């Protein structure tokens, strides 16, 4: 199963390689990893989508919690969190007709067209991973020249911050 | 107080009550060594940085204090790594200081530059690269705090040369906390007391005590707990000494080379209480068949260990000493008593039927098991025994009969050949009141024998009992049993004359080829008060038995 894990860490040099290194060393699979600054510059938030059985995922959370730089680890279940990722795509178009089709699909996905050329349209799509995947899949019928994806980021729904969330691990099948 | 970075290191070590440092200087570490020169701190110059790391580790294991080692940048730091990995696997508190090229040169492939923090990230509990003199006092405080608190482990502090030379205010905190780090989590009494309910329902319980008992100084509480409950107890390799093996409820060590009765007991028990241990593969054998009839209760300070390898019926996160104390007090205040007498009877029968044994003949050379037994007899089981790795390690574990904590030092997790001799240096300097015996195979011994110079120069009275079979014995044993005696590169023919070698270092030495000479030679070595090497020419193809073959169930033993 794939799960989304939110991690609040101290913004130290090398903290990302420390966290990523833990996954390498213990043989855990990372599907995606995204990191960025938070409301407090002393901390970084990392979102990792990890894949494994329940025991492995439990281990991932425990091992992360053991890291000195980690303040808090939470599991972000689909129903209790807002989960997004962003993708940029260069789509190949061969005709004016195709251009219109691409723009129409992009519109349906609320994707932004950020650059248009004679043979290439660059689109930006944001949403849950499933939506991004669906968009990419449709665009691949035209021909995709290049993709850049951010990896998933997520926040829990409701008023609480990661620091206030409970620590219990509850996995759900995705 | 204004100090240079180098002076801060020395001053901080004093504040941490460090008695001794093991290390080797080098270009990027000269400022620290210069500050050391002006201080009265004791420093032992080892002959290899790996020796320094193992000596710091041996000191820490023997005393319970933090071991400290120094090395320079580049090869100095990389040479420390085996020692740090060894300490990490066995949760030993060590703080290593390494020199580093000046901050302006970091990342330029400067002379003797290596990414020490990058390399040691997976083998330290934490590490620091200090880039600002203002951070240094706090970093050193944190390093010691992290190394010794919670589940202990090695910490590395990398010190660029310009930081060693820079001046700053030395403001050393007395106490610190680290956000998000809870080294001693509160113990849930309610959960702990559930253990007693499980014990009450049990008919065939067993305790497995691990190294966590020794780290947490919980041996006395453990003894009391066993005494109150009468639950039979076995220990892991790291747990040797946590409970006296001479006691009738002790089943000795379990696992790959554990006693038959300990392994049978684990396979038969209906309740298994693991305390401060981590279900290593050498302990469990084939994990699917481990303790098949048992409810498993696991007590450990490290939450990540609970449920890592086995399904636990009840997991309790907490310090072993505290948890045992809660249990003992409850049993006493409620006047609880337990009756496992028929289980005791079964175990007594197994013990009689399947004792640890060997054949004491002179054929082919001295019997290694007899050497270890004799060391036990001559030292009343109170010496510090350093096992190396492999056959000698297992014989030292099986035949000594440990009765006190911190008397058995061995690289259990990493299995580092070459650990013993330098670790013995640290142990003896930390515990000068103790007899220290390094029981070493000829293979392991040669991996760090340069430390004979350290021993000789500093007149450190260690007894080196060399189990010389001219083989990498444990690998040879596997080749004999599982690879049709294809002894691929396990013969150590070409060994030096170890007696002459020791003598070349100025260390008295003797060769023993017969069982009848073992006792007198050991007696002489122990009583000499000097370093002493005995080259025991042992039976070449002696095997360590009993044995659980790799991948077999624990009760599926050979030998």
């Amino acid at each position: 199963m794939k799960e989304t894990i939110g991690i609040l860490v101290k913004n130290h040099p090398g903290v990302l390689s420390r966290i990523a290194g833990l996954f390498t060393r213990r043989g855990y699979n990372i599907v995606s990893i995204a990191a960025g600054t938070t409301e407090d510059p002393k901390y970084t938030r990392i979102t990792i989508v990890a894949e494994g059985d329940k025991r492995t995922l439990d281990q991932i959370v425990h091992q992360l919690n053991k890291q000195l730089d980690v303040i808090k680890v939470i599991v972000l279940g689909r129903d209790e969190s807002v989960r997004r990722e962003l993708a940029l795509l260069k789509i190949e178009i061969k005709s004016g007709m195709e251009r219109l089709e691409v723009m129409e699909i992009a519109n349906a996905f609320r994707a932004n067209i950020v650059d248009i050329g004679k043979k290439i349209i660059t689109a930006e799509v944001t949403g849950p991973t499933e939506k991004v995947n669906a968009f990419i899949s449709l665009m691949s019928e035209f021909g995709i020249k290049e993709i850049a994806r951010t990896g998933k980021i997520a926040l829990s729904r409701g008023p609480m911050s990661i620091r206030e969330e409970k620590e219990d691990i509850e996995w759900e099948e995705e | 107080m204004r100090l240079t970075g180098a002076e801060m290191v020395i001053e901080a070590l004093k504040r941490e009550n460090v008695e001794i440092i093991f290390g080797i200087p080098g270009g990027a570490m000269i400022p620290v060594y210069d500050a050391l020169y002006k201080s009265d701190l004791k420093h032992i110059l080892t002959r290899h940085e790996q020796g320094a790391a193992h000596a710091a580790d041996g000191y820490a294991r023997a005393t319970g204090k933090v071991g400290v080692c120094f090395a320079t940048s580049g090869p100095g730091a990389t040479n420390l790594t085996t020692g740090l990995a060894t300490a990490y696997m066995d949760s030993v508190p060590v703080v290593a200081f390494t020199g580093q090229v000046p901050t302006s040169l970091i990342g330029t492939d400067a002379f003797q530059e290596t990414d020490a923090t990058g390399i040691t990230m997976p083998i330290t509990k934490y590490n620091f690269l200090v880039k600002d003199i203002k951070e240094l006092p706090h970093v050193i405080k944190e390093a010691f705090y992290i190394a010794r608190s919670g589940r202990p482990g090695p910490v590395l502090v990398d010190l660029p040369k310009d930081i060693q030379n820079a001046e700053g205010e030395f403001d050393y905190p007395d106490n610190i906390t680290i956000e998000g780090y809870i080294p001693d989590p509160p113990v849930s009494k309610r959960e702990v007391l559930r253990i007693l309910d499980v014990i009450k329902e049990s008919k065939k319980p067993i305790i497995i005590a691990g190294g966590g008992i020794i780290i947490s100084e919980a041996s006395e509480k453990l003894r009391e707990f066993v005494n109150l409950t009468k639950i039979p107890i076995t220990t892991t390799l790291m747990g040797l000494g946590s409970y006296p093996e001479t006691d009738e409820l002790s089943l000795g060590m379990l696992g790959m080379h554990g006693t038959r009765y300990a392994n049978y007991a684990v396979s038969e028990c209906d309740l298994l209480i693991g305390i401060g241990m981590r279900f290593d593969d050498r302990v469990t054998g084939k994990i699917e068949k481990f303790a098949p009839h048992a409810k498993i209760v696991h007590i450990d300070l490290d939450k990540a260990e609970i449920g890592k390898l086995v399904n636990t019926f009840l997991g309790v996160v907490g310090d072993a000493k505290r948890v045992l104390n809660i249990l003992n007090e409850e049993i006493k205040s409620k006047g609880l008593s337990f009756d496992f007498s028929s289980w005791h009877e079964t175990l007594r029968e197994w013990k009689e039927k399947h004792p640890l044994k060997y054949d004491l003949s002179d054929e082919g050379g001295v019997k290694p098991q007899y050497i270890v037994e004799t060391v036990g007899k001559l030292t009343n089981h109170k010496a510090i025994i350093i096992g190396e790795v492999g056959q000698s390690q297992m014989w030292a574990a099986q035949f000594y009969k440990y009765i006190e904590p911190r008397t058995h030092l061995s690289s259990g997790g990493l299995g580092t050949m070459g650990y013993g001799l330098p670790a013995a240096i640290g142990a003896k300097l930390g515990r000068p009141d103790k007899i220290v015996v390094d029981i070493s195979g000829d293979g392991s011994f040669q991996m760090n024998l340069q430390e004979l110079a350290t021993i000789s120069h500093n007149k450190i009275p260690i007894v080196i009992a060399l189990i010389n079979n001219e083989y990498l014995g444990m690998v040879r044993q596997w080749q004999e049993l599982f690879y049709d005696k294809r002894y691929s590169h396990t013969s150590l023919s070409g060994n030096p004359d170890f007696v002459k070698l020791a003598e070349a270092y100025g260390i008295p030495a003797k060769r023993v080829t017969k069982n009848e000479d073992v006792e007198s030679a050991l007696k002489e070595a122990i009583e000499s008060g000097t370093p002493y090497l005995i080259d025991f020419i042992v039976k070449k193809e002696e095997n360590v038995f009993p044995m659980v073959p790799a991948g077999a169930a624990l009760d599926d033993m050979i030998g």
Side-chain angles (χ1 to χ4, degrees):
Chain A
M1 53 205 231
K2 277 183 201 164
E3 293 286 348
T4 307
I5 300 165
I7 313 157
L8 188 68
V9 300
K10 289 172 214 166
N11 185 13
H12 285 169
V15 69
L16 194 58
S17 80
R18 216 175 262 285
I19 300 301
L22 172 71
F23 278 74
T24 320
R25 174 161 72 90
R26 294 195 179 265
Y28 306 146
N29 292 324
I30 297 183
V31 177
S32 77
I33 181 165
T37 50
T38 63
E39 68 286 357
D40 183 338
K42 292 206 291 289
Y43 304 97
T44 296
R45 177 146 176 159
I46 301 174
T47 310
I48 290 179
V49 179
E51 192 167 20
D53 57 16
K54 188 181 164 302
R55 173 169 282 165
T56 307
L57 291 166
D58 279 343
Q59 268 295 302
I60 289 173
V61 172
H62 292 319
Q63 295 292 349
L64 283 168
N65 266 317
K66 230 163 88 171
Q67 295 288 311
L68 267 289
D69 285 332
V70 170
I71 306 293
K72 185 78 176 270
V73 182
I74 57 169
V75 175
L76 293 150
R78 188 168 35 192
D79 297 338
E80 299 89 42
S81 62
V82 184
R83 294 138 49 127
R84 293 288 181 270
E85 72 168 304
L86 183 148
L88 293 169
L89 289 79
K90 282 187 187 170
I91 304 142
E92 291 168 324
I93 42 169
K94 288 168 215 75
S95 65
M97 194 60 197
E98 284 200 354
R99 174 183 297 143
L100 285 175
E101 272 182 62
V102 165
M103 290 172 75
E104 204 173 300
I105 296 169
N107 195 31
F109 275 82
R110 294 187 201 172
N112 294 321
I113 304 299
V114 290
D115 192 22
I116 297 192
K118 260 191 166 166
K119 292 180 176 163
I120 292 286
I121 287 184
T122 306
E124 170 202 316
V125 63
T126 309
T129 300
E130 302 76 29
K131 177 185 161 187
V132 173
N133 287 343
F135 184 71
I136 290 171
S137 155
L138 281 172
M139 289 302 127
S140 65
E141 288 172 20
F142 299 92
I144 296 171
K145 189 155 192 201
E146 196 175 21
I147 298 181
R149 296 175 76 151
T150 57
K152 193 190 281 181
I153 55 169
L155 285 180
S156 62
R157 292 187 188 275
M160 285 191 285
S161 72
I162 184 167
R163 285 173 182 274
E164 297 157 343
E165 291 283 351
K166 62 184 171 44
E167 289 200 47
D168 309 348
I169 310 171
E170 275 171 37
W171 302 113
E172 56 172 42
E173 243 2 281
E174 287 223 350
Chain B
M1 168 163 64
R2 299 285 292 176
L3 294 176
T4 66
E7 289 164 346
M8 286 183 189
V9 172
I10 302 303
E11 189 55 34
L13 295 187
K14 289 185 193 159
R15 303 274 178 104
E16 295 294 340
N17 298 314
V18 171
E19 303 167 313
I20 191 161
I21 302 154
F22 303 91
I24 304 186
M29 200 59 175
I30 294 176
V32 168
Y33 270 89
D34 192 50
L36 178 66
Y37 189 76
K38 296 170 212 157
S39 83
D40 50 10
L41 263 180
K42 187 169 179 184
H43 176 276
I44 296 290
L45 176 71
T46 56
R47 298 309 193 260
H48 189 293
E49 286 89 352
Q50 188 187 343
H54 289 325
D57 169 313
Y59 172 88
R61 293 192 208 217
T63 62
K65 299 178 210 164
V66 179
V68 177
C69 57
F70 282 178
T72 191
S73 66
T78 55
N79 281 347
L80 283 183
T81 51
T82 302
L84 295 175
T86 303
Y88 186 60
M89 285 290 267
D90 291 342
S91 307
V92 181
V94 167
V95 175
F97 292 88
T98 44
Q100 182 55 279
V101 301
T103 47
S104 60
L105 288 180
I106 288 179
T108 66
D109 305 317
F111 176 66
Q112 290 193 331
E113 182 190 356
T114 194
D115 177 9
T117 48
I119 288 171
T120 59
M121 209 174 263
I123 54 167
T124 52
K125 187 172 171 187
Y126 200 71
N127 60 21
F128 300 88
L129 168 61
V130 185
K131 284 182 156 174
D132 183 345
I133 185 70
K134 289 203 280 294
E135 293 172 0
L136 183 56
H138 207 270
V139 162
I140 301 176
K141 184 77 205 178
E142 278 190 45
F144 276 88
Y145 172 60
I146 292 167
R148 70 162 72 93
S149 60
R151 180 174 179 176
V155 177
L156 179 133
V157 182
D158 201 25
L159 299 165
K161 200 171 181 181
D162 56 323
I163 301 294
Q164 298 174 38
N165 287 323
E167 253 191 37
E169 193 59 36
F170 182 73
D171 188 6
Y172 202 70
D174 286 331
N175 286 299
I176 54 161
T177 55
I178 296 172
E179 191 190 4
Y181 175 57
I182 307 157
D184 191 5
V187 176
S188 156
K189 190 176 172 187
R190 199 169 53 89
E191 247 173 53
V192 172
L193 294 183
R194 282 180 62 200
I195 298 174
L196 292 178
D197 297 333
V198 190
I199 295 174
K200 277 180 220 158
E201 291 165 11
S202 155
K203 295 197 164 52
K204 294 184 280 185
I206 189 161
I207 297 166
I208 303 180
I213 297 287
I214 294 165
I215 295 168
S216 130
E217 308 275 355
S219 288
E220 273 178 38
K221 297 287 173 199
L222 177 65
R223 223 171 285 192
E224 190 182 2
F225 180 66
V226 173
N227 197 30
L228 288 166
T229 58
K230 304 293 180 203
I231 301 177
I233 175 168
T234 174
T235 74
T236 66
L237 177 74
M238 299 308 297
L240 285 173
S242 64
Y243 190 87
E245 293 189 278
T246 45
D247 185 84
E248 63 172 345
L249 285 173
S250 168
L251 302 169
M253 181 176 79
L254 84 160
M256 183 174 269
H257 293 292
T259 62
R260 272 185 185 267
Y261 37 94
N263 287 350
Y264 287 170
V266 168
S267 299
E268 187 66 29
C269 71
D270 64 359
L271 169 63
L272 189 156
I273 306 173
I275 315 175
M277 50 81 66
R278 58 183 178 83
F279 298 98
D280 181 86
D281 53 285
R282 286 324 198 231
V283 161
T284 61
K286 189 181 175 70
I287 197 127
E288 295 80 11
K289 292 193 175 167
F290 176 71
H293 313 295
K295 285 179 179 167
I296 294 179
V297 172
H298 192 188
I299 302 163
D300 203 282
L301 184 60
D302 183 350
K303 194 176 181 183
E305 291 300 347
I306 291 168
K308 184 175 84 174
L309 290 159
V310 296
N311 293 323
T312 39
F313 178 77
L314 180 59
V316 175
V317 179
D319 175 67
K321 194 173 173 180
R322 283 186 192 222
V323 172
L324 287 168
N325 194 46
I326 293 171
L327 291 170
N328 293 344
E329 293 312 308
E330 181 75 7
I331 293 169
K332 285 189 280 183
S333 73
K334 293 264 165 69
L336 300 176
S337 67
F338 305 90
D339 177 20
F340 302 118
S341 47
S342 71
W343 177 227
H344 293 160
E345 193 49 47
T346 309
L347 295 174
R348 204 171 299 135
E349 281 167 23
W350 285 342
K351 269 185 165 183
E352 273 170 26
K353 207 168 161 194
H354 308 288
L356 278 175
K357 59 177 190 283
Y358 61 93
D359 152 42
L360 184 62
S361 74
D362 263 327
E363 189 202 340
V366 181
K367 284 290 175 158
Q369 302 92 330
Y370 176 65
I371 299 167
V372 176
E373 263 184 2
T374 309
V375 174
K377 184 178 129 192
L378 290 174
T379 60
N380 290 322
H381 308 274
K382 287 185 169 179
I384 295 178
I385 302 301
I386 325 276
E388 279 282 357
V389 166
Q391 288 187 317
S392 64
Q393 176 186 37
M394 288 300 116
W395 285 317
Q398 290 177 327
F399 288 94
Y400 185 76
K401 303 287 169 246
Y402 297 88
I403 58 173
E404 288 179 357
R406 302 198 181 283
T407 57
H408 174 257
L409 276 50
S410 186
S411 172
L414 197 68
T416 307
M417 291 176 69
Y419 169 78
L421 192 65
I425 295 174
K428 182 68 191 177
L429 292 170
R431 290 297 306 269
D433 56 315
K434 286 278 192 185
I435 295 165
V436 173
V437 183
D438 177 26
I439 295 176
S440 178
D442 50 322
S444 291
F445 177 72
Q446 290 184 85
M447 290 203 183
N448 268 319
L449 70 81
Q450 76 284 346
E451 301 309 334
L452 287 176
T454 313
I455 291 166
S456 169
H457 175 72
N458 295 288
K459 302 187 173 60
I460 305 167
I462 295 162
V463 176
I464 303 158
L466 199 63
I467 310 287
N468 184 356
N469 56 11
E470 282 192 51
Y471 273 116
L472 296 166
M474 188 58 93
V475 180
R476 187 211 56 75
Q477 175 171 338
W478 283 49
Q479 289 171 335
E480 177 190 329
L481 297 172
F482 313 118
Y483 293 85
D484 282 334
K485 292 198 174 189
R486 292 188 298 277
Y487 291 168
S488 181
H489 301 274
T490 39
S491 164
L492 291 177
S493 55
N495 270 347
D497 179 329
F498 289 108
V499 171
K500 280 189 188 160
L501 182 81
E503 282 166 359
Y505 281 100
I507 293 174
K510 188 175 226 167
R511 178 164 297 116
V512 172
T513 56
K514 288 199 199 86
N515 288 319
E516 63 187 59
D517 298 330
V518 167
E519 184 165 342
S520 61
L522 279 169
K523 202 155 183 274
E524 189 182 333
I526 290 165
E527 285 170 0
S528 72
T530 68
Y532 203 106
L533 183 145
I534 308 173
D535 183 17
F536 290 106
I537 308 299
V538 301
K539 189 178 170 211
K540 282 182 142 213
E541 298 189 19
E542 184 69 11
N543 285 333
V544 179
F545 285 131
M547 176 180 195
V548 180
L554 213 48
D555 55 354
D556 187 7
M557 306 190 79
I558 54 174

